[in-house]
Amino acid sequence: MSNLLHIRAANASDVPLILAFIRGLADYERAPEKAIATEADLLRDGFGTTPKFRVVIAEYETKPAGFAFFFFNYSTWNGRPGLYLEDLFVYPEFRGKGIGKALLIHLAQVAVSENCGRFDWQVLDWNTPAIDFYKSLGAQVMQEWLTMRVEGQALKNLAQSKD
């Protein structure tokens, strides 16, 4: 890692910055209206008594440049935890400086230190540069697995089902 780049754990005072990264990623992914999280949500769920996620921030020449937002899951088949990367984002003006790769390496080190059996994330199918980059790091596209989601009213309906 370059002397110009520093990766650190986020703290509660970083919540406005984290939200700015989230919104930047939503813009990049062509869905800004979907990023409805608030500072209060992030404070409650990430920096309360039982954090649901972790965040690391990449600073380049002491300026916020990117972030990685992640949490742990558990593989019943492996009998070990896994690290799941929810969001990775680097501001456009900092791209091409190795920051995304440094964040992924950092998370791989976290995964190894936490005895994780795997490190997973998703990428949009149209994001060919990211897919090619991830493959160059040894990541595999899990083509046989489809993401399923229940949200909004459908989630409420399912939760109220009797059968």
Side-chain angles (χ1 to χ4, degrees):
M1 184 166 36
S2 160
N3 287 339
L4 302 174
L5 179 62
H6 174 68
I7 297 175
R8 64 173 179 82
N11 59 57
S13 68
D14 291 312
V15 165
L17 175 61
I18 294 167
L19 194 54
F21 283 130
I22 291 168
R23 290 185 176 145
L25 177 60
D27 286 342
Y28 176 76
E29 291 184 349
R30 306 173 190 162
E33 71 286 353
K34 300 269 184 167
I36 62 170
T38 66
E39 288 184 17
D41 296 330
L42 298 176
L43 276 170
R44 178 193 64 233
D45 296 333
F47 301 95
T49 55
T50 55
K52 309 287 190 268
F53 62 84
R54 296 188 199 174
V55 176
V56 292
I57 295 174
E59 296 172 336
Y60 190 84
E61 294 181 336
T62 72
K63 297 179 190 87
F67 87 133
F69 188 111
F70 64 101
F71 56 88
F72 295 96
N73 54 25
Y74 195 83
S75 170
T76 56
W77 288 17
N78 286 338
R80 294 169 64 188
L83 189 149
Y84 187 83
L85 172 61
E86 179 69 22
D87 289 335
L88 174 76
F89 181 71
V90 176
Y91 282 131
E93 63 268 27
F94 293 101
R95 293 182 189 153
K97 300 181 183 307
I99 295 168
K101 183 176 182 180
L103 284 164
L104 289 168
I105 290 168
H106 180 86
L107 292 186
Q109 292 167 346
V110 170
V112 169
S113 73
E114 295 282 341
N115 196 33
C116 293
R118 58 189 184 206
F119 172 16
D120 295 311
W121 65 94
Q122 294 180 319
V123 61
L124 290 167
D125 60 359
W126 56 259
N127 196 346
T128 306
I131 293 168
D132 292 343
F133 170 63
Y134 297 147
K135 285 180 177 179
S136 78
L137 299 177
Q140 302 171 1
V141 176
M142 305 296 292
Q143 293 179 348
E144 67 275 16
W145 290 93
L146 300 176
T147 300
M148 303 300 295
R149 177 175 293 157
V150 181
E151 63 183 348
Q153 189 59 47
L155 177 59
K156 291 175 186 173
N157 293 346
L158 180 59
Q160 293 172 357
S161 296
K162 303 288 185 222
D163 299 328

